[in-house]
Amino acid sequence: MLLFGFQAVMDVYAKWNWQMHGGRIKELSAYLKERLTTLPKCTLHTPMDWDNSSGNVSFTMEGHLYNDVTKYLMEGWNMRTRPVGEIDAVRISTNYYNTYGELDKLVEALEDRKSTRLNSSHIPLSRMPPFA
């Protein structure tokens, strides 16, 4: 019985393998990188070229510490990201189950000039001026 379950998992993996290696993840990562490059204060640390990249996209927002951006995205927009302290960056991990809409929401959060989604119990607005 266990062997049958393992074979079923391997069949699904084989079917989705294109998505994990250059398919959907590649498309989502490229889309996110392209969108982030449109933000004036955003510096992309992940290479645009897929051969030197992955589904992980790292960036910084000029004038903002990575921990502040991570906290802003979590508390104000309910988005989990990973801080990358070694380069003072935020990392977004795209995966096959993500949607373009979710990536658009991330860019919207970074563009949000008023930070109105944060209340006084979260990051003080004086510490989180507009990104864009």
Side-chain angles (χ1 to χ4, degrees):
M1 190 67 129
L2 181 61
L3 184 58
F4 178 75
F6 179 73
Q7 183 59 48
V9 168
M10 294 308 294
D11 290 343
V12 169
Y13 176 79
K15 185 188 295 185
W16 288 356
N17 191 38
W18 73 271
Q19 295 175 339
M20 294 181 225
H21 297 284
R24 181 155 172 83
I25 295 172
K26 178 181 177 180
E27 292 170 5
L28 291 170
S29 175
Y31 179 78
L32 177 59
K33 289 184 276 189
E34 191 64 39
R35 290 293 317 273
L36 289 173
T37 61
T38 67
L39 299 176
K41 294 185 178 184
C42 182
T43 300
L44 193 62
H45 297 285
T46 303
M48 294 293 282
D49 178 28
W50 179 252
D51 291 337
N52 296 311
S53 187
S54 71
N56 297 326
V57 178
S58 298
F59 64 93
T60 54
M61 296 302 295
E62 180 183 322
H64 301 281
L65 299 175
Y66 68 100
N67 281 335
D68 290 339
V69 176
T70 298
K71 187 174 181 180
Y72 165 76
L73 291 171
M74 180 60 206
E75 292 182 0
W77 293 81
N78 198 29
M79 293 182 190
R80 294 192 185 274
T81 62
R82 182 190 181 279
V84 184
E86 300 82 9
I87 58 173
D88 194 28
V90 176
R91 184 176 80 193
I92 305 296
S93 301
T94 60
N95 212 321
Y96 65 90
Y97 48 77
N98 290 121
T99 66
Y100 290 98
E102 290 170 330
L103 302 179
D104 290 337
K105 181 180 172 188
L106 168 67
V107 174
E108 176 187 344
L110 296 173
E111 290 175 328
D112 186 19
R113 294 179 182 273
K114 296 179 183 174
S115 300
T116 55
R117 295 176 190 255
L118 298 177
N119 62 42
S120 59
S121 67
H122 295 136
I123 303 170
L125 293 179
S126 61
R127 287 192 53 215
M128 189 51 71
F131 292 121

